[in-house]
Every structure is written in C-alpha cells, then in structure tokens.
Amino acid sequence: MKQVATFNRARLIFMVVICLTYREVQGQYGQVAGAWNITYQDGGNEQQLTISNDIQYVDLVIHNVDLTSGADFYFEVHASDPKLASIEKRIERSELTGTPASWQGPVPVQTRHFGFTSIYVTLNTSDGANAERSPDDLTLIIARRDRLDEKIFAYTASALLLLMFLNLGGVLDLERLKAIMLRPIAVTIGFCTSYILMPVLAIAIGYCFLAKHQELHLALFFTALSPSGGLANICAIFLKGNVNLSIATTTINSLMSLAIFPLWILILVRTIFTNTELDVPFLDLAGSALALVCAIALGMLARIFLPKTTAYIFRFLKPFCACVSLGLIAMTVGINAFAFKELTGMIYLAALFLPICGYFLSYGIAKLLRCSAADALTISVETSVLNMTVPIMLLQHCFDEVRADMTLIVPITAALNSLAMMIVIYTVRRIFGWNKNLDGDAFASKVELISFDEHIKEEIIVSHISYQNEKTAL
Ligand SMILES: *[C@@H]1O[C@H](CO)[C@@H](O)[C@H](O)[C@H]1NC(C)=O
Ligand SMILES: *[C@@H]1O[C@H](CO)[C@@H](O)[C@H](O)[C@H]1NC(C)=O
C-alpha cells in the first residue's frame, strides 16, 4: 500500500514539474507584464500601405504593460506573412513609460506583395525562457500603387465596347429579329442557360475547387453571371452560328442582367455567402445596359435610314471590331498582369471547367429542346464565352481594392479559357469540314468579318449579291 502511495506521489510531483516546465517554455499571456495589448495609434486595428521599395511606417501603441514583476523583457513586432511584408522592430523595456506603462512610435514595414496580413507583437524575456504573444493581431492591408492607367483603360474600354455594339446594331437584321421574337424559344433557352445553368454550375464548381476561398468562389459566380458581350457575337460569326439570334440574346441578357443580378445576389447572400459584405453597383450596371441598348438602337437606325453609307462604313468597322475585342482582352490582361501571381491550380481548373461544362450542357439542352444545329451552337457560344470586363467591374465595386486585386484572376483566366475553347472548336470544325453555314437565312445580310484566305473572294461576292438584293428590295 505504502509503495503504491509513494509511487502516486512521485507521479504527481513529476506531473507538476512537467506542467511547470511546459508553462515556462510555452509562455502564457499575462504572466510577465499583465494584460498588455496593442492598437494602432489612431485607435483602429486596420491600416493600409502600398507596395513600395521604401520603408513605410505604421504607428503602433503597446499599452497597459505592468512593470511591477521586475522581469527583464523586450517586445518584438512581427508580420504574420513574410511574403507580403517584413518588420524588424525591437522595443526595450526601458523605452516604456508611465503606469501602467505604454510605448508608442513608428514601426518600419517593408512591403512586398499586395494582400492582407497582420501585425502582432511578442514579449520575450531576456533570458529567452518566456515569450508571450499579443492577444490580438492588427490588420495590415497592402495595396498596389498606380491606378491612373486603370481609369484611362476603363474609359477606353467602355468607348470601344460601345463602338462595337453600334456596329452590331448595324448588322442586326430586323426581319430576322422579328421572327426570333415571335418564336422566342431559342432566346428563352439562351436566357435560361446564361442565368440559371451557368450560375448553378459556378456554385457547384466553386464548391469542388474553391470551397475554402469565399471571395474566389464569388468571383467565379460573377464571371458566370455576366452577360457575354460582343465577343460571343464575333465567335458566333466565325463558327457560322445564327448571328441575329446571338445579338438578340446578348441584348436581352444584358438588359435582364439588371433584374437577375440583384435577385441572384440576394439569394446567395442569404444562403451561401452569408459573411461577405457586398455592395453591388446597380446604378453603374443600369448605365452600362442602357448605353449598350442605345448603341445597338443607333446602329439599327443608321442601317434603316442610311443603308448605303452604313453598309460601306460597317464593312471597314467589322474587322476593326474583331481587332478591338481582341485588343480589349489584351489590354485587360496586360494591365492586370500582376494578378497572374495569384493563379493556382485550383483556380485554373475551376476557370477551365466553367466554360467547358457550360458549352456542352447548353448545347445538349438546346438540342434536347429541338433547336436547329445553328441555334444550339449559337446558344452554347452565347452561354460559354465569358466576359472579363463586367465581372472585373463588379469585383472592383463589391470588394475593397485589395480583395478585388486578389480575385481578378478568376474572370481573367475563365475568359481566356473560354476564348481558347472557341479557338479549339473553330479549328476542329475547320479540320473536319464542319464549319458550314447551317442556317442559310441567318446570313441573308452577309456578315464578313476578317475574311480568311480562300474565303475572301467568296464572301465579298456573297455580300455583294446580298447587298444588291437589299437594294432591289428597297
Ligand atoms: C486588445 O485590444 C483590442 C483593440 O485594439 C480589443 O478589441 C481587444 O478586446 C483587446 N484584447 C484584450 C485581451 O484586452
Ligand atoms: C520572441 O518570441 C517569439 C515567439 O515565441 C519568437 O518567435 C521569437 O523568435 C523570439 N525572439 C527572440 C529574439 O528569440
């Protein structure tokens, strides 16, 4: 019995010793200098710096330090993510003043990369036996510099987009448009695939690949939700789809986006993105949609009232338009090239599956609902060609600039992937000789974009004939 008791006591002492040593090494907050804490000098816990080669300073306060224990210690300031910023600052015990003691002063920060990180302070005893970490971290936001070129870019992009839609209005055939509107089945399918199928796909794909990053998930969702814009029309022309259906779908979807955006975002903020604060720029969106409609209407009016001049001007405008939309993409990618540093395998896969699944599913759905091959192709092109300008604008409005910078890569990669997919589809169709005009009527008013090699002659002849027909009809 006695032996057992001794053994138990020994074990108890052993455990207490272990506990004590453990405590010593680990360090427990509040042991050495009381309940000290940190804030920025302005009292907040968030500060923004920009990326720079120069050292920048944040004003830090360490307050409520209890010096009565007499232990010798110093404070060290750290940045949690050394990839974003590094801090080297040591504050000696002797620099503290007052009771309870406090210190305030500038802390040098070397910024490296944009993003969010935090500052924390450790208290180390001079003998190295004890270390405490501040109970709270302070947020450090690091933003990029230089935003002037982006403003210029935004205006140039808008002007070019409007010019493009003006041109598209000019090729819109009113007779065909009427036929489309009288039997709106294809337009309705295009609407549903764009605003039901794609967002649902984005949510599902986001769950598979970006589940841990709500902001990226939301960026993917915005990408899926954005109306396709002029590039889809151009792809439809190249793939010999139904151009009028394509333009009608683009116009209707752009207008409907005003109703659909708030609806979807309301649903999502209530269900999935519950802790994301969103500030959706509805007024800007309304303005863009209105400008788009005006541009298309202007193009249509020009076509009706000045058919000859319009036909002449538009002949030169069409290749210009194709160049413009490619130029816009190049500009967007160039200006946002910094975003590619944020690209990860998961983002790439998500941005790859979105257009691919979108294309094949919407083609299947349109086929199932008995659309003609040309219409099904057009609908799937309209659905899966992704725009990067609109989601970038949305992200920049909904998020602060740093979060927007961190998520821009999603729409950019997705849009580039969708374009690459179109090029692959076009190449395959050319190689197998499938790229035929399946819908003769759709090309009654011949749209010759950049005419390629052997097609040049043929297209000019055809357009000449249709122009002659138009003239006789008038
Ligand atoms: C430390 O200070 C912050 C404000 O900067 C405050 O929110 C937090 O509650 C404080 N923590 C403790 C443990 O006192
Ligand atoms: C002070 O303590 C922190 C936290 O334990 C530690 O990371 C840091 O290296 C220590 N500083 C020194 C100079 O030992």
Side-chain angles (χ1 to χ4, degrees):
M1 278 303 269
K2 212 174 177 186
Q3 261 182 338
V4 172
T6 322
F7 175 71
N8 272 349
R9 195 178 308 147
R11 205 167 67 168
L12 188 72
I13 290 168
F14 179 70
M15 275 166 64
V16 166
V17 168
I18 291 258
C19 266
L20 282 179
T21 16
Y22 180 71
R23 262 180 130 168
E24 278 251 312
V25 174
Q26 185 70 18
Q28 208 179 48
Y29 168 71
Q31 254 188 350
V32 178
W36 60 283
N37 201 352
I38 54 173
T39 72
Y40 285 120
Q41 208 150 55
D42 58 15
N45 56 1
E46 204 177 271
Q47 199 118 342
Q48 182 162 338
L49 299 178
T50 50
I51 300 180
S52 163
N53 288 328
D54 302 329
I55 299 278
Q56 293 163 85
Y57 293 90
V58 293
D59 285 317
L60 196 71
V61 181
I62 304 173
H63 57 85
N64 205 22
V65 187
D66 180 7
L67 297 180
T68 50
S69 78
D72 196 20
F73 60 83
Y74 56 90
F75 289 105
E76 263 184 2
V77 188
H78 305 260
S80 353
D81 190 345
K83 265 188 263 159
L84 268 61
S86 62
I87 299 175
E88 268 175 40
K89 176 75 182 171
R90 182 173 158 148
I91 299 144
E92 300 298 337
R93 183 185 197 270
S94 55
E95 295 177 52
L96 296 157
T97 52
T99 30
S102 65
W103 175 87
Q104 58 175 286
V107 170
V109 182
Q110 174 68 65
T111 51
R112 298 220 160 84
H113 191 71
F114 69 89
F116 291 85
T117 183
S118 56
I119 291 183
Y120 66 90
V121 174
T122 59
L123 179 156
N124 302 48
T125 50
S126 301
D127 54 10
N130 219 330
E132 297 179 0
R133 186 185 160 128
S134 51
D136 283 297
D137 289 8
L138 302 174
T139 308
L140 190 62
I141 305 169
I142 302 168
R144 293 180 306 117
R145 278 177 306 176
D146 302 341
R147 293 188 165 259
L148 181 67
D149 52 349
E150 283 164 33
K151 285 238 170 65
I152 296 171
F153 164 73
Y155 292 125
T156 323
S158 320
L160 291 178
L161 272 178
L162 285 186
L163 206 59
M164 195 148 79
F165 277 103
L166 187 78
N167 180 39
L168 288 171
V171 298
L172 200 58
D173 182 332
L174 280 182
E175 288 305 307
R176 290 279 303 173
L177 191 64
K178 206 155 111 200
I180 288 170
M181 286 326 209
L182 286 178
R183 286 188 64 247
I185 174 86
V187 179
T188 312
I189 297 172
F191 173 80
C192 294
T193 50
S194 294
Y195 285 134
I196 299 173
L197 176 71
M198 283 302 268
V200 169
L201 261 181
I203 293 171
I205 291 172
Y207 264 125
C208 299
F209 295 102
L210 307 170
K212 286 199 200 90
H213 310 276
Q214 274 215 335
E215 280 108 16
L216 295 175
H217 197 170
L218 197 65
L220 191 71
F221 177 75
F222 281 163
T223 311
L225 204 57
S226 299
S228 48
L231 194 61
N233 307 133
I234 289 165
C235 290
I237 292 170
F238 270 100
L239 293 172
K240 301 231 169 19
N242 183 341
V243 183
N244 292 297
L245 174 62
S246 176
I247 298 175
T249 313
T250 305
T251 316
I252 291 168
N253 282 2
S254 302
L255 285 179
M256 289 307 285
S257 68
L258 284 179
I260 298 295
F261 267 81
L263 197 70
W264 261 114
I265 288 169
L266 217 66
I267 294 174
L268 286 195
V269 172
R270 291 271 160 82
T271 52
I272 300 176
F273 303 109
T274 40
N275 46 17
T276 320
E277 275 174 37
L278 286 182
D279 176 17
V280 182
F282 291 117
L283 218 60
D284 287 18
L285 281 176
S288 321
L290 199 71
L292 188 150
V293 172
C294 289
I296 288 185
L298 215 66
M300 285 166 72
L301 286 179
R303 186 189 154 101
I304 293 169
F305 292 113
L306 305 164
K308 220 168 167 177
T309 334
T310 314
Y312 190 70
I313 293 176
F314 283 157
R315 166 160 299 179
F316 293 104
L317 270 179
K318 280 164 205 159
F320 171 74
C321 257
C323 296
V324 161
S325 53
L326 291 180
L328 262 180
I329 292 175
M331 257 164 84
T332 313
V333 171
I335 282 187
N336 296 309
F338 67 87
F340 283 99
K341 274 193 197 149
E342 310 293 308
L343 184 61
T344 63
M346 285 300 164
I347 294 180
Y348 186 81
L349 285 180
L352 182 69
F353 280 119
L354 182 66
I356 289 183
C357 296
Y359 182 87
F360 287 104
L361 283 177
S362 51
Y363 192 87
I365 290 171
K367 266 311 213 183
L368 270 181
L369 295 175
R370 296 162 180 264
C371 283
S372 71
D375 285 1
L377 179 80
T378 311
I379 290 170
S380 48
V381 167
E382 276 293 324
T383 308
S384 61
V385 171
L386 299 169
N387 184 318
M388 55 173 99
T389 322
V390 177
I392 288 179
M393 184 193 101
L394 273 176
L395 288 173
Q396 282 172 342
H397 274 86
C398 293
F399 288 147
D400 52 77
E401 59 182 273
V402 178
R403 253 190 211 98
D405 283 351
M406 291 165 74
T407 49
L408 286 185
I409 187 63
V410 175
I412 292 179
T413 317
L416 288 180
N417 277 339
S418 74
L419 194 62
M421 179 179 81
M422 286 300 137
I423 292 172
V424 169
I425 292 173
Y426 179 73
T427 314
V428 168
R429 283 169 64 94
R430 284 298 291 262
I431 288 174
F432 290 94
W434 296 338
N435 208 26
K436 300 237 174 61
N437 184 358
L438 297 166
D439 180 7
D441 289 348
F443 270 68
S445 67
K446 185 68 189 165
V447 178
E448 78 290 348
L449 222 91
I450 297 178
S451 312
F452 279 141
D453 37 74
E454 77 268 14
H455 282 252
I456 290 180
K457 253 193 205 154
E458 179 197 316
E459 298 209 340
I460 288 178
I461 292 167
V462 174
S463 67
H464 192 69
I465 291 170
S466 60
Y467 185 54
Q468 292 290 327
N469 289 344
E470 242 173 71
K471 255 191 0 198
T472 23
L474 283 170

PDB file of all heavy atoms in Angstrom, residues 323-351:
ATOM      1  N   CYS A 323     -10.724  43.165 -84.116  1.00  0.00           N
ATOM      2  CA  CYS A 323      -9.444  43.582 -83.544  1.00  0.00           C
ATOM      3  C   CYS A 323      -9.673  44.254 -82.197  1.00  0.00           C
ATOM      4  O   CYS A 323      -8.940  44.027 -81.242  1.00  0.00           O
ATOM      5  CB  CYS A 323      -8.724  44.555 -84.466  1.00  0.00           C
ATOM      6  SG  CYS A 323      -8.277  43.805 -86.018  1.00  0.00           S
ATOM      7  N   VAL A 324     -10.726  45.094 -82.141  1.00  0.00           N
ATOM      8  CA  VAL A 324     -10.993  45.820 -80.904  1.00  0.00           C
ATOM      9  C   VAL A 324     -11.255  44.852 -79.764  1.00  0.00           C
ATOM     10  O   VAL A 324     -10.698  44.990 -78.677  1.00  0.00           O
ATOM     11  CB  VAL A 324     -12.199  46.767 -81.083  1.00  0.00           C
ATOM     12  CG1 VAL A 324     -12.757  47.156 -79.733  1.00  0.00           C
ATOM     13  CG2 VAL A 324     -11.779  47.995 -81.852  1.00  0.00           C
ATOM     14  N   SER A 325     -12.084  43.822 -80.011  1.00  0.00           N
ATOM     15  CA  SER A 325     -12.411  42.963 -78.880  1.00  0.00           C
ATOM     16  C   SER A 325     -11.193  42.160 -78.448  1.00  0.00           C
ATOM     17  O   SER A 325     -10.985  41.936 -77.258  1.00  0.00           O
ATOM     18  CB  SER A 325     -13.600  42.057 -79.189  1.00  0.00           C
ATOM     19  OG  SER A 325     -13.354  41.366 -80.366  1.00  0.00           O
ATOM     20  N   LEU A 326     -10.361  41.762 -79.413  1.00  0.00           N
ATOM     21  CA  LEU A 326      -9.131  41.069 -79.020  1.00  0.00           C
ATOM     22  C   LEU A 326      -8.176  42.042 -78.317  1.00  0.00           C
ATOM     23  O   LEU A 326      -7.542  41.686 -77.323  1.00  0.00           O
ATOM     24  CB  LEU A 326      -8.451  40.455 -80.244  1.00  0.00           C
ATOM     25  CG  LEU A 326      -9.224  39.288 -80.856  1.00  0.00           C
ATOM     26  CD1 LEU A 326      -8.487  38.723 -82.057  1.00  0.00           C
ATOM     27  CD2 LEU A 326      -9.452  38.194 -79.816  1.00  0.00           C
ATOM     28  N   GLY A 327      -8.137  43.282 -78.839  1.00  0.00           N
ATOM     29  CA  GLY A 327      -7.292  44.291 -78.219  1.00  0.00           C
ATOM     30  C   GLY A 327      -7.709  44.578 -76.781  1.00  0.00           C
ATOM     31  O   GLY A 327      -6.871  44.731 -75.896  1.00  0.00           O
ATOM     32  N   LEU A 328      -9.032  44.608 -76.578  1.00  0.00           N
ATOM     33  CA  LEU A 328      -9.556  44.838 -75.232  1.00  0.00           C
ATOM     34  C   LEU A 328      -9.086  43.747 -74.280  1.00  0.00           C
ATOM     35  O   LEU A 328      -8.674  44.026 -73.150  1.00  0.00           O
ATOM     36  CB  LEU A 328     -11.077  44.810 -75.266  1.00  0.00           C
ATOM     37  CG  LEU A 328     -11.787  46.140 -75.328  1.00  0.00           C
ATOM     38  CD1 LEU A 328     -13.277  45.926 -75.355  1.00  0.00           C
ATOM     39  CD2 LEU A 328     -11.398  46.967 -74.119  1.00  0.00           C
ATOM     40  N   ILE A 329      -9.154  42.508 -74.765  1.00  0.00           N
ATOM     41  CA  ILE A 329      -8.720  41.400 -73.919  1.00  0.00           C
ATOM     42  C   ILE A 329      -7.236  41.545 -73.597  1.00  0.00           C
ATOM     43  O   ILE A 329      -6.818  41.422 -72.447  1.00  0.00           O
ATOM     44  CB  ILE A 329      -9.004  40.060 -74.614  1.00  0.00           C
ATOM     45  CG1 ILE A 329     -10.511  39.852 -74.696  1.00  0.00           C
ATOM     46  CG2 ILE A 329      -8.342  38.911 -73.873  1.00  0.00           C
ATOM     47  CD1 ILE A 329     -10.908  38.637 -75.452  1.00  0.00           C
ATOM     48  N   ALA A 330      -6.465  41.872 -74.647  1.00  0.00           N
ATOM     49  CA  ALA A 330      -5.016  42.025 -74.426  1.00  0.00           C
ATOM     50  C   ALA A 330      -4.743  43.126 -73.418  1.00  0.00           C
ATOM     51  O   ALA A 330      -3.915  42.978 -72.522  1.00  0.00           O
ATOM     52  CB  ALA A 330      -4.325  42.324 -75.749  1.00  0.00           C
ATOM     53  N   MET A 331      -5.494  44.243 -73.553  1.00  0.00           N
ATOM     54  CA  MET A 331      -5.310  45.358 -72.620  1.00  0.00           C
ATOM     55  C   MET A 331      -5.653  44.951 -71.194  1.00  0.00           C
ATOM     56  O   MET A 331      -4.910  45.247 -70.253  1.00  0.00           O
ATOM     57  CB  MET A 331      -6.232  46.513 -73.016  1.00  0.00           C
ATOM     58  CG  MET A 331      -5.540  47.648 -73.719  1.00  0.00           C
ATOM     59  SD  MET A 331      -6.761  48.688 -74.519  1.00  0.00           S
ATOM     60  CE  MET A 331      -7.269  49.737 -73.187  1.00  0.00           C
ATOM     61  N   THR A 332      -6.801  44.280 -71.053  1.00  0.00           N
ATOM     62  CA  THR A 332      -7.225  43.870 -69.717  1.00  0.00           C
ATOM     63  C   THR A 332      -6.182  42.957 -69.088  1.00  0.00           C
ATOM     64  O   THR A 332      -5.805  43.130 -67.933  1.00  0.00           O
ATOM     65  CB  THR A 332      -8.569  43.125 -69.799  1.00  0.00           C
ATOM     66  OG1 THR A 332      -9.445  43.875 -70.618  1.00  0.00           O
ATOM     67  CG2 THR A 332      -9.173  42.940 -68.433  1.00  0.00           C
ATOM     68  N   VAL A 333      -5.719  41.994 -69.895  1.00  0.00           N
ATOM     69  CA  VAL A 333      -4.726  41.057 -69.368  1.00  0.00           C
ATOM     70  C   VAL A 333      -3.432  41.799 -69.039  1.00  0.00           C
ATOM     71  O   VAL A 333      -2.840  41.592 -67.978  1.00  0.00           O
ATOM     72  CB  VAL A 333      -4.466  39.928 -70.385  1.00  0.00           C
ATOM     73  CG1 VAL A 333      -3.292  39.081 -69.957  1.00  0.00           C
ATOM     74  CG2 VAL A 333      -5.717  39.076 -70.525  1.00  0.00           C
ATOM     75  N   GLY A 334      -3.033  42.727 -69.934  1.00  0.00           N
ATOM     76  CA  GLY A 334      -1.792  43.452 -69.708  1.00  0.00           C
ATOM     77  C   GLY A 334      -1.828  44.267 -68.436  1.00  0.00           C
ATOM     78  O   GLY A 334      -0.923  44.191 -67.611  1.00  0.00           O
ATOM     79  N   ILE A 335      -2.906  45.022 -68.269  1.00  0.00           N
ATOM     80  CA  ILE A 335      -2.996  45.899 -67.100  1.00  0.00           C
ATOM     81  C   ILE A 335      -3.117  45.093 -65.819  1.00  0.00           C
ATOM     82  O   ILE A 335      -2.626  45.491 -64.773  1.00  0.00           O
ATOM     83  CB  ILE A 335      -4.167  46.875 -67.280  1.00  0.00           C
ATOM     84  CG1 ILE A 335      -3.699  47.968 -68.235  1.00  0.00           C
ATOM     85  CG2 ILE A 335      -4.624  47.461 -65.960  1.00  0.00           C
ATOM     86  CD1 ILE A 335      -4.636  49.087 -68.390  1.00  0.00           C
ATOM     87  N   ASN A 336      -3.774  43.935 -65.912  1.00  0.00           N
ATOM     88  CA  ASN A 336      -3.962  43.137 -64.702  1.00  0.00           C
ATOM     89  C   ASN A 336      -2.980  41.979 -64.626  1.00  0.00           C
ATOM     90  O   ASN A 336      -3.250  40.985 -63.953  1.00  0.00           O
ATOM     91  CB  ASN A 336      -5.396  42.617 -64.641  1.00  0.00           C
ATOM     92  CG  ASN A 336      -6.387  43.754 -64.535  1.00  0.00           C
ATOM     93  OD1 ASN A 336      -6.241  44.619 -63.682  1.00  0.00           O
ATOM     94  ND2 ASN A 336      -7.354  43.792 -65.424  1.00  0.00           N
ATOM     95  N   ALA A 337      -1.853  42.117 -65.324  1.00  0.00           N
ATOM     96  CA  ALA A 337      -0.893  41.016 -65.377  1.00  0.00           C
ATOM     97  C   ALA A 337      -0.423  40.608 -63.981  1.00  0.00           C
ATOM     98  O   ALA A 337      -0.133  39.438 -63.741  1.00  0.00           O
ATOM     99  CB  ALA A 337       0.303  41.403 -66.243  1.00  0.00           C
ATOM    100  N   PHE A 338      -0.396  41.577 -63.074  1.00  0.00           N
ATOM    101  CA  PHE A 338       0.032  41.261 -61.704  1.00  0.00           C
ATOM    102  C   PHE A 338      -0.810  40.150 -61.099  1.00  0.00           C
ATOM    103  O   PHE A 338      -0.362  39.414 -60.237  1.00  0.00           O
ATOM    104  CB  PHE A 338      -0.080  42.515 -60.832  1.00  0.00           C
ATOM    105  CG  PHE A 338      -1.496  42.945 -60.630  1.00  0.00           C
ATOM    106  CD1 PHE A 338      -2.246  42.410 -59.593  1.00  0.00           C
ATOM    107  CD2 PHE A 338      -2.103  43.852 -61.489  1.00  0.00           C
ATOM    108  CE1 PHE A 338      -3.559  42.783 -59.409  1.00  0.00           C
ATOM    109  CE2 PHE A 338      -3.411  44.227 -61.320  1.00  0.00           C
ATOM    110  CZ  PHE A 338      -4.143  43.677 -60.274  1.00  0.00           C
ATOM    111  N   ALA A 339      -2.059  40.026 -61.576  1.00  0.00           N
ATOM    112  CA  ALA A 339      -2.981  39.067 -60.968  1.00  0.00           C
ATOM    113  C   ALA A 339      -2.539  37.624 -61.203  1.00  0.00           C
ATOM    114  O   ALA A 339      -2.911  36.736 -60.444  1.00  0.00           O
ATOM    115  CB  ALA A 339      -4.389  39.273 -61.519  1.00  0.00           C
ATOM    116  N   PHE A 340      -1.733  37.409 -62.249  1.00  0.00           N
ATOM    117  CA  PHE A 340      -1.354  36.025 -62.557  1.00  0.00           C
ATOM    118  C   PHE A 340      -0.513  35.396 -61.462  1.00  0.00           C
ATOM    119  O   PHE A 340      -0.420  34.186 -61.385  1.00  0.00           O
ATOM    120  CB  PHE A 340      -0.633  35.954 -63.906  1.00  0.00           C
ATOM    121  CG  PHE A 340      -1.591  36.056 -65.053  1.00  0.00           C
ATOM    122  CD1 PHE A 340      -1.794  37.241 -65.714  1.00  0.00           C
ATOM    123  CD2 PHE A 340      -2.336  34.955 -65.434  1.00  0.00           C
ATOM    124  CE1 PHE A 340      -2.703  37.341 -66.752  1.00  0.00           C
ATOM    125  CE2 PHE A 340      -3.245  35.035 -66.470  1.00  0.00           C
ATOM    126  CZ  PHE A 340      -3.432  36.233 -67.124  1.00  0.00           C
ATOM    127  N   LYS A 341       0.070  36.235 -60.611  1.00  0.00           N
ATOM    128  CA  LYS A 341       0.814  35.680 -59.481  1.00  0.00           C
ATOM    129  C   LYS A 341      -0.110  34.943 -58.523  1.00  0.00           C
ATOM    130  O   LYS A 341       0.327  34.128 -57.726  1.00  0.00           O
ATOM    131  CB  LYS A 341       1.514  36.809 -58.722  1.00  0.00           C
ATOM    132  CG  LYS A 341       2.859  37.158 -59.296  1.00  0.00           C
ATOM    133  CD  LYS A 341       3.615  38.039 -58.298  1.00  0.00           C
ATOM    134  CE  LYS A 341       4.776  38.746 -58.967  1.00  0.00           C
ATOM    135  NZ  LYS A 341       5.028  40.046 -58.355  1.00  0.00           N
ATOM    136  N   GLU A 342      -1.407  35.271 -58.602  1.00  0.00           N
ATOM    137  CA  GLU A 342      -2.368  34.657 -57.678  1.00  0.00           C
ATOM    138  C   GLU A 342      -2.927  33.353 -58.231  1.00  0.00           C
ATOM    139  O   GLU A 342      -3.745  32.715 -57.603  1.00  0.00           O
ATOM    140  CB  GLU A 342      -3.534  35.609 -57.412  1.00  0.00           C
ATOM    141  CG  GLU A 342      -3.128  37.010 -57.032  1.00  0.00           C
ATOM    142  CD  GLU A 342      -2.449  37.053 -55.691  1.00  0.00           C
ATOM    143  OE1 GLU A 342      -3.007  36.524 -54.731  1.00  0.00           O
ATOM    144  OE2 GLU A 342      -1.318  37.590 -55.625  1.00  0.00           O
ATOM    145  N   LEU A 343      -2.529  33.024 -59.467  1.00  0.00           N
ATOM    146  CA  LEU A 343      -3.116  31.849 -60.116  1.00  0.00           C
ATOM    147  C   LEU A 343      -2.633  30.569 -59.445  1.00  0.00           C
ATOM    148  O   LEU A 343      -1.446  30.353 -59.269  1.00  0.00           O
ATOM    149  CB  LEU A 343      -2.731  31.834 -61.601  1.00  0.00           C
ATOM    150  CG  LEU A 343      -3.350  30.723 -62.435  1.00  0.00           C
ATOM    151  CD1 LEU A 343      -4.866  30.828 -62.438  1.00  0.00           C
ATOM    152  CD2 LEU A 343      -2.835  30.775 -63.860  1.00  0.00           C
ATOM    153  N   THR A 344      -3.590  29.711 -59.076  1.00  0.00           N
ATOM    154  CA  THR A 344      -3.238  28.407 -58.517  1.00  0.00           C
ATOM    155  C   THR A 344      -3.872  27.345 -59.400  1.00  0.00           C
ATOM    156  O   THR A 344      -4.720  27.645 -60.246  1.00  0.00           O
ATOM    157  CB  THR A 344      -3.786  28.257 -57.090  1.00  0.00           C
ATOM    158  OG1 THR A 344      -5.212  28.311 -57.164  1.00  0.00           O
ATOM    159  CG2 THR A 344      -3.287  29.336 -56.174  1.00  0.00           C
ATOM    160  N   GLY A 345      -3.465  26.112 -59.208  1.00  0.00           N
ATOM    161  CA  GLY A 345      -4.020  25.014 -59.990  1.00  0.00           C
ATOM    162  C   GLY A 345      -5.527  24.928 -59.850  1.00  0.00           C
ATOM    163  O   GLY A 345      -6.252  24.713 -60.822  1.00  0.00           O
ATOM    164  N   MET A 346      -5.995  25.123 -58.625  1.00  0.00           N
ATOM    165  CA  MET A 346      -7.434  25.009 -58.373  1.00  0.00           C
ATOM    166  C   MET A 346      -8.212  26.097 -59.108  1.00  0.00           C
ATOM    167  O   MET A 346      -9.261  25.838 -59.688  1.00  0.00           O
ATOM    168  CB  MET A 346      -7.707  25.119 -56.863  1.00  0.00           C
ATOM    169  CG  MET A 346      -7.337  23.868 -56.121  1.00  0.00           C
ATOM    170  SD  MET A 346      -8.288  22.477 -56.757  1.00  0.00           S
ATOM    171  CE  MET A 346      -7.360  21.124 -56.112  1.00  0.00           C
ATOM    172  N   ILE A 347      -7.683  27.321 -59.083  1.00  0.00           N
ATOM    173  CA  ILE A 347      -8.358  28.414 -59.793  1.00  0.00           C
ATOM    174  C   ILE A 347      -8.385  28.091 -61.272  1.00  0.00           C
ATOM    175  O   ILE A 347      -9.400  28.255 -61.954  1.00  0.00           O
ATOM    176  CB  ILE A 347      -7.625  29.757 -59.557  1.00  0.00           C
ATOM    177  CG1 ILE A 347      -7.733  30.154 -58.103  1.00  0.00           C
ATOM    178  CG2 ILE A 347      -8.196  30.843 -60.449  1.00  0.00           C
ATOM    179  CD1 ILE A 347      -7.047  31.466 -57.771  1.00  0.00           C
ATOM    180  N   TYR A 348      -7.264  27.581 -61.790  1.00  0.00           N
ATOM    181  CA  TYR A 348      -7.209  27.279 -63.212  1.00  0.00           C
ATOM    182  C   TYR A 348      -8.250  26.225 -63.575  1.00  0.00           C
ATOM    183  O   TYR A 348      -8.989  26.376 -64.553  1.00  0.00           O
ATOM    184  CB  TYR A 348      -5.809  26.802 -63.620  1.00  0.00           C
ATOM    185  CG  TYR A 348      -5.724  26.628 -65.105  1.00  0.00           C
ATOM    186  CD1 TYR A 348      -5.518  27.726 -65.928  1.00  0.00           C
ATOM    187  CD2 TYR A 348      -5.948  25.389 -65.698  1.00  0.00           C
ATOM    188  CE1 TYR A 348      -5.500  27.592 -67.295  1.00  0.00           C
ATOM    189  CE2 TYR A 348      -5.938  25.244 -67.074  1.00  0.00           C
ATOM    190  CZ  TYR A 348      -5.716  26.354 -67.866  1.00  0.00           C
ATOM    191  OH  TYR A 348      -5.727  26.237 -69.218  1.00  0.00           O
ATOM    192  N   LEU A 349      -8.335  25.175 -62.770  1.00  0.00           N
ATOM    193  CA  LEU A 349      -9.302  24.106 -63.070  1.00  0.00           C
ATOM    194  C   LEU A 349     -10.731  24.640 -63.018  1.00  0.00           C
ATOM    195  O   LEU A 349     -11.547  24.345 -63.897  1.00  0.00           O
ATOM    196  CB  LEU A 349      -9.129  22.956 -62.076  1.00  0.00           C
ATOM    197  CG  LEU A 349      -7.894  22.091 -62.322  1.00  0.00           C
ATOM    198  CD1 LEU A 349      -7.809  20.985 -61.291  1.00  0.00           C
ATOM    199  CD2 LEU A 349      -7.926  21.496 -63.729  1.00  0.00           C
ATOM    200  N   ALA A 350     -11.032  25.426 -61.992  1.00  0.00           N
ATOM    201  CA  ALA A 350     -12.384  25.975 -61.879  1.00  0.00           C
ATOM    202  C   ALA A 350     -12.700  26.832 -63.096  1.00  0.00           C
ATOM    203  O   ALA A 350     -13.784  26.745 -63.677  1.00  0.00           O
ATOM    204  CB  ALA A 350     -12.505  26.803 -60.599  1.00  0.00           C
ATOM    205  N   ALA A 351     -11.720  27.651 -63.516  1.00  0.00           N
ATOM    206  CA  ALA A 351     -11.938  28.550 -64.643  1.00  0.00           C
ATOM    207  C   ALA A 351     -11.939  27.795 -65.966  1.00  0.00           C
ATOM    208  O   ALA A 351     -12.335  28.327 -66.983  1.00  0.00           O
ATOM    209  CB  ALA A 351     -10.852  29.632 -64.666  1.00  0.00           C
TER     210      ALA A 351
END
